[in-house]
Amino acid sequence: MRNSLVLLAALALAACNNEPKDYVTLSGKITNQTSDSIVVRSRTYSKTIKVNPDGTFKDTLKVETGIYNFTDGSESSNFFLKNGFDINLTLDTKQFDETIKYTGIGAEHSNFLAKNMLMQEQLLDLDALSALDMEGLETKFGDIKNKLAEFYEAHKEVDTSIINRLKTDIDPMLNYYKNYLAESVALKTELAKGKPSPTFEGYENYKGGTTSLADLKGKYVYVDVWATWCGPCKAEIPALKALDKQYEGKNIHFVSLSIDDDRSHGGSWDKARENWKSMIAEKELTGIQLFAPNGWQSQFVLDYKIKGIPRFILIDPNGNVVTPDAPRPSDASLTALFTSLNI
């Protein structure tokens, strides 16, 4: 009788061990970690997981089946979670998207999502696409759509909910990029290379007095349209300062044009101007620092059809447009452009 009870207990334990887990086990290791935690979230779920000093982490998550966002510092990726999965991920933050890899039960779905993200980045090369005309854009986007559809059809092992969602998202995603690029193409047609640049007159100069575009003729003018509240604008400051130093004494002016306005500072233009001056001093900004008197409604901003910042413009020594949408200071193609112009 005793032996029978022991046998029954063993069988019960084995049955319990064979039951599917009602949670996800998530572990991994991050090389060159930039934060002490990661965050897993969706629209209805969020969990922060501690990362050890050696970059390792492990936790369990009870989730609804679906695609979740995984964030480490300023970088993120999507992965697929389902209770019962046991996933291990590894990545190097210096090449986040290129190195992220999943192993374990259920890993194939997340590896597919990582490959999809890389493929979209490669296909949607905005610099290359913005160089096309409208006819070229239509042809290229048709090609991109076909390549993505073929990629999705080729992965039968991936959960159908993922494939169906990506297929549904193809047209809205491509239309968004197409409309964005269409504006850029139209801008480069209207303000084509060699056409007279829109001008500005009497803009307040941080160092005193006022400055007009006409005052800067005789040299190339690289204009950075920015604002103190703009995160991406501030991210370009170190690269812009480095460029200003690198090209000191060369045939170019570096102009930073602030469009801080009263809407950004409680309705006060004086407060906007004060913040502008404070940041110039705090960040030790170089180059020619100007303040646009009417912010977004300044004529120069309207003429260049600026709807988002930062925006960079290059004007030649005669006051003509080189490009109304120049590369950012942090983009290596900018110095290549300067070299081609013998700056």
Side-chain angles (χ1 to χ4, degrees):
M1 180 69 176
R2 181 179 177 183
N3 289 338
S4 298
L5 291 174
V6 171
L7 178 60
L8 287 172
L11 290 173
L13 180 61
C16 289
N17 288 337
N18 288 328
E19 288 182 4
K21 296 183 297 183
D22 63 348
Y23 58 87
V24 176
T25 300
L26 179 65
S27 61
K29 183 169 184 178
I30 300 173
T31 303
N32 297 309
Q33 66 187 101
T34 58
S35 62
D36 60 1
S37 63
I38 60 172
V39 180
V40 176
R41 62 163 60 93
S42 68
R43 290 183 179 178
T44 58
Y45 179 93
S46 180
K47 185 168 187 179
T48 300
I49 302 173
K50 180 182 178 182
V51 178
N52 300 315
D54 64 355
T56 61
F57 62 89
K58 186 172 183 178
D59 207 339
T60 57
L61 306 85
K62 196 164 185 176
V63 300
E64 296 290 335
T65 301
I67 296 175
Y68 288 74
N69 182 259
F70 156 75
T71 303
D72 173 52
S74 60
E75 296 276 9
S76 68
S77 186
N78 290 332
F79 59 176
F80 184 75
L81 299 181
K82 181 179 180 180
N83 291 332
F85 282 4
D86 190 340
I87 296 177
N88 180 272
L89 76 85
T90 57
L91 67 88
D92 186 335
T93 60
K94 290 186 176 180
Q95 288 187 299
F96 193 95
D97 292 333
E98 294 78 7
T99 61
I100 192 165
K101 184 178 180 181
Y102 302 89
T103 57
I105 300 171
E108 65 273 16
H109 312 289
S110 295
N111 280 324
F112 167 79
L113 287 171
K115 288 179 184 177
N116 176 64
M117 182 171 288
L118 273 180
M119 186 174 184
Q120 288 186 8
E121 286 180 2
Q122 293 165 357
L123 291 174
L124 294 166
D125 182 341
L126 297 186
D127 289 335
L129 290 169
S130 64
L132 301 174
D133 58 19
M134 289 304 299
E135 184 178 350
L137 274 181
E138 288 292 341
T139 300
K140 189 64 178 177
F141 272 95
D143 181 53
I144 292 172
K145 180 177 179 178
N146 290 336
K147 286 182 177 178
L148 288 174
E150 289 172 5
F151 176 65
Y152 300 154
E153 287 294 335
H155 287 270
K156 303 295 185 183
E157 79 283 4
V158 176
D159 191 282
T160 55
S161 68
I162 299 175
I163 299 297
N164 291 338
R165 173 173 167 177
L166 290 175
K167 285 181 177 179
T168 301
D169 288 346
I170 289 180
D171 283 335
M173 177 187 69
L174 294 185
N175 285 336
Y176 169 81
Y177 282 105
K178 190 189 300 183
N179 291 336
Y180 170 80
L181 290 163
E183 289 185 8
S184 177
V185 171
L187 177 67
K188 289 179 179 179
T189 301
E190 185 174 337
L191 293 170
K193 182 177 181 180
K195 287 190 174 182
S197 170
T199 63
F200 57 81
E201 296 182 5
Y203 282 7
E204 180 181 350
N205 191 316
Y206 175 74
K207 292 184 177 179
T210 61
T211 298
S212 301
L213 184 59
D215 299 331
L216 307 176
K217 275 193 174 183
K219 288 188 176 185
Y220 285 92
V221 181
Y222 181 70
V223 183
D224 166 20
V225 182
W226 73 296
T228 59
W229 46 261
C230 170
C233 300
K234 290 185 283 188
E236 292 294 326
I237 288 175
L240 182 58
K241 289 172 68 175
L243 275 178
D244 190 30
K245 184 176 181 180
Q246 180 182 348
Y247 286 87
E248 186 176 0
K250 302 291 185 179
N251 190 33
I252 186 169
H253 294 292
F254 289 93
V255 175
S256 292
L257 179 61
S258 166
I259 58 170
D260 279 273
D261 62 19
D262 58 345
R263 290 174 299 176
S264 307
H265 301 285
S268 168
W269 283 103
D270 289 338
K271 180 62 176 176
R273 184 178 286 103
E274 178 185 321
N275 282 12
W276 167 65
K277 290 182 176 181
S278 295
M279 184 165 288
I280 293 173
E282 176 189 341
K283 301 289 186 182
E284 298 180 337
L285 303 187
T286 58
I288 300 170
Q289 298 290 332
L290 304 180
F291 187 84
N294 295 304
W296 290 97
Q297 297 305 308
S298 299
Q299 195 59 49
F300 184 78
V301 174
L302 295 174
D303 289 342
Y304 267 103
K305 304 185 186 304
I306 296 173
K307 298 178 182 178
I309 53 175
R311 172 77 167 276
F312 302 92
I313 299 162
L314 186 60
I315 301 166
D316 74 15
N318 296 314
N320 298 320
V321 175
V322 176
T323 172
D325 192 7
R328 298 185 177 204
S330 59
D331 188 336
S333 66
L334 179 61
T335 54
L337 175 59
F338 288 171
T339 299
S340 71
L341 296 170
N342 296 315
I343 295 177

